[in-house]
Each structure stands twice: as structure tokens, then as C-alpha cells.
Amino acid sequence: SGIVKPLKPINMRKVVIHEESDDEDDDPELDRVLQVFQQYDSNGDGILDRQEFEKCLKSLGLTASCMSSFLESVDKSGDMEIQYEEFVNWAMAPASKRTKKSRLDVFWPERSATDAIVDIVDQDDEEPDEEKELTLEDVEKICGELPEGWPPHGMTVLNNMRARFPGYPVEGIVWRMRRNDFIGGKVIAAIRKTGAKEVEVVPPSAVKVGKPGAFPHKYRVRSMVKPLKVYKQGGRNWSFQNMRDEKLTPIGEIAPSDHFEVREVKRGNEYGFCFGRIKYDGADDPAATYWVVLGLEVNRSHWTRSDASRSTSIDLNYSDAARLD
């Protein structure tokens, strides 16, 4: 048409980058950032609009609900468009407070796009405490809407993965879970392939105490003045840690000195608190699961005895509940 259209300033900067790419001192990481940026800049205008950036997030296995958190982290100008410089600053920054790896290396590692590790960037850039057992509410705050088909055992799998792979981002675990049908063994194998640090640890939700046959058994509330609070398993805030810290609302209580039946005991790896799954006579829902905080172990016959080998009255006694002979 003979009309010369002016380039936006951002496009001009993009051209300069191309011109300098032949320099021997050119940073290969900046080249990688440029390649990633251009991959999603579908119209080639040197800017990622909201639709283009959403496509970028989806390629990482993230849902649209993460958009606002990521936009706030990347789009520092607040114009709802991501300039190339903004993308560079974001991609080259550390992925989290616990790693020196850049987001470029975390999201788009050189080894393989299929091994990309996703991370969470929430509005205040804070991350969950690694020692804290997450609840469903915690995960929704981090990830937004949970994947379709989230199973009843989803939180158990997620907390198990966090304990086994400390430092691996929660968003990444959720993504791996979805891609592997929420099957714990498959998720472990998938995360291992990324080279993530793995430790042998048993999370609080999986530590069962006592030999087969040790339960059910009768116990007595030790206190003569303080009742034992009863909690119903389930709800968005449910966790053993929240139960221990009395952040959950009890649905009932067992009176001081009263007897009750414990059907199973689990021990947390933080401070050693134990929790008893009980038969609760005051249950409004007989099919539900009810728990009490048994407290700390007392008078163990041998402190090196494993959880699974304990069976005596001495071994299975707790600060808030006494085992009856």
C-alpha cells in the first residue's frame, strides 16, 4: 500500500535484540527467554495479551483461575499486557524463595518440555510452610479451582508428595496428580523424573501405630476435669495439625474419666502428637469418621521400638488417654 506503519517501542526493542544476537557475549538464557516469548506471541506484536498469556499458562498445566495471580506477578505496569522486558524480568527471577533456579529453568527446563516443573506465584509471593499439612482450603488458595475429578484421597496424596519431595511446588504436585489419574505411585514416578530432591519420610496422615490386633481397644479420658474433644473428619479445613491446634470446631466431647473405644491410632511427625479414630456414641452420622487428640506417648517400654511393633498397654498409652487392661 506504500504506507509505512510505525513500530511500537516494544517491537523496536525486539528488533534490537535480534541485531545483537550475533554477539559472542550474548546470554544464551536471554535467547531462551526470547524463544519462549515468541512462541506465545502469536501475532508477533512484541506483547503478550491476556489470551496469549493464558495459552502460555495452559501449556504449563495451569488453569485459568491462576491468571490473576500470574498477571500481577508479571505485569508490573498494570496495563493487562505483558511487555517483553516484563517477561524477561519475571522469567529470570528466582522461581521461589527456596530455590536459586530461575522461573525459566523451572517452567521451561532445557532437558525436556515434558519435564517442566510448575510453581505457584500467588499475590503476595508467599509460600506455604513445608512443615504444615495442607488442607483443601489451603490448596484452593494456592491453585485456584481444583482439577476436575479431584478424588476424596486427593489431599492425602498431595501431602504425601510434599513430605517426600520437599521444595517441590504445590502447583506442580497438583498438575502431576491430574496427569497421572491421582494415583500416588504414578505421581511419585513422574516427580522423580524431574530430578527433584526426594527424602524418605512418612507424613502425619500415614503413620499408623500398633501391631495388628492392638485395636480396637478401650481407653479412659485421663483428666478428671477436662473433657476430650471429638472432631468429625472432613471439610475444607480438615487436618490433624488443625485438630491438634484446636483450629477446628469439635462436634462433641467425651466427659472427664469416661471410657471410649479407639479403633486406630496415627502419630504426627511434628512433636509426636497422636490421634485416635474412635467409636463415637453421640454421632449424628454413623458413617462418618471421628477423631480425638490422644496427646503425647507416655511410658513407652522401649523408645527404639517401631510404630508397627507396639502392642502393650505401656507402649500404647497417651498423655490424654489411658489404655485399659
Side-chain angles (χ1 to χ4, degrees), residues 32 60 62 112 127 129 135 151 156 187 197 214 221 239 261 264 267 275 285:
R32 286 173 55 205
L60 298 174
L62 304 178
S112 170
E127 297 176 22
D129 184 353
T135 66
T156 299
V187 178
K197 177 185 176 182
V221 178
S239 75
E261 182 181 289
E264 176 186 19
R267 179 177 54 79
F275 310 91
D285 180 5

Side-chain angles (χ1 to χ4, degrees), residues 118-134:
V118 292
D119 198 358
I120 178 62
V121 183
D122 55 21
Q123 293 184 358
D124 57 6
D125 208 27
E126 292 182 357
E127 297 176 22
D129 184 353
E130 286 185 4
E131 300 298 322
K132 181 178 183 292
E133 184 180 1
L134 297 184

Side-chain angles (χ1 to χ4, degrees), residues 44-201:
D45 64 354
I47 296 173
L48 295 185
D49 59 27
R50 186 181 179 89
Q51 289 72 30
E52 290 170 333
F53 191 55
E54 184 173 347
K55 183 179 179 181
C56 175
L57 294 186
K58 285 183 178 179
S59 74
L60 298 174
L62 304 178
T63 62
S65 60
C66 299
M67 174 65 73
S68 60
S69 296
F70 273 79
L71 267 179
E72 185 166 332
S73 178
V74 185
D75 179 24
K76 297 304 182 182
S77 63
D79 59 1
M80 302 301 289
E81 292 182 332
I82 298 173
Q83 310 291 335
Y84 176 69
E85 284 85 349
E86 291 175 326
F87 190 81
V88 169
N89 291 336
W90 176 77
M92 298 296 283
S96 73
K97 297 173 184 177
R98 296 190 300 271
T99 180
K100 294 182 179 179
K101 286 187 175 182
S102 68
R103 291 189 177 97
L104 177 67
D105 289 329
V106 169
F107 292 139
W108 298 280
E110 286 187 292
R111 58 182 179 275
S112 170
T114 59
D115 284 339
I117 305 172
V118 292
D119 198 358
I120 178 62
V121 183
D122 55 21
Q123 293 184 358
D124 57 6
D125 208 27
E126 292 182 357
E127 297 176 22
D129 184 353
E130 286 185 4
E131 300 298 322
K132 181 178 183 292
E133 184 180 1
L134 297 184
T135 66
L136 186 62
E137 185 178 33
D138 293 329
V139 177
E140 288 183 333
K141 285 180 180 178
I142 295 169
C143 305
E145 184 180 354
L146 292 177
E148 183 178 353
W150 184 265
H153 67 277
M155 291 309 305
T156 299
V157 174
L158 188 145
N159 279 308
N160 286 351
M161 296 306 107
R162 291 187 73 236
R164 182 177 288 273
F165 301 99
Y168 196 84
V170 173
E171 188 77 16
I173 295 174
V174 172
W175 183 53
R176 299 284 178 188
M177 288 172 62
R178 187 189 64 180
R179 289 174 64 91
N180 291 278
D181 304 318
F182 304 99
I183 299 174
K186 290 184 176 181
V187 178
I188 290 175
I191 297 177
R192 277 178 182 159
K193 289 181 180 179
T194 70
K197 177 185 176 182
E198 181 176 1
V199 298
E200 289 295 331
V201 63

Side-chain angles (χ1 to χ4, degrees), residues 212-263:
F215 299 101
H217 199 87
K218 287 289 186 179
Y219 279 74
R220 173 179 56 83
V221 178
R222 282 188 182 271
S223 176
M224 299 183 67
V225 294
K226 184 180 178 181
L228 204 59
K229 295 177 180 178
V230 179
Y231 299 90
K232 182 178 178 180
Q233 182 172 330
R236 307 170 72 81
N237 232 5
W238 164 260
S239 75
F240 286 119
Q241 183 173 333
N242 281 349
M243 182 168 62
R244 181 201 70 200
D245 295 341
E246 297 187 346
K247 293 181 179 179
L248 304 177
T249 302
I251 54 89
E253 59 185 33
I254 303 173
S257 301
D258 270 10
H259 295 183
F260 62 99
E261 182 181 289
V262 175
R263 296 178 168 178

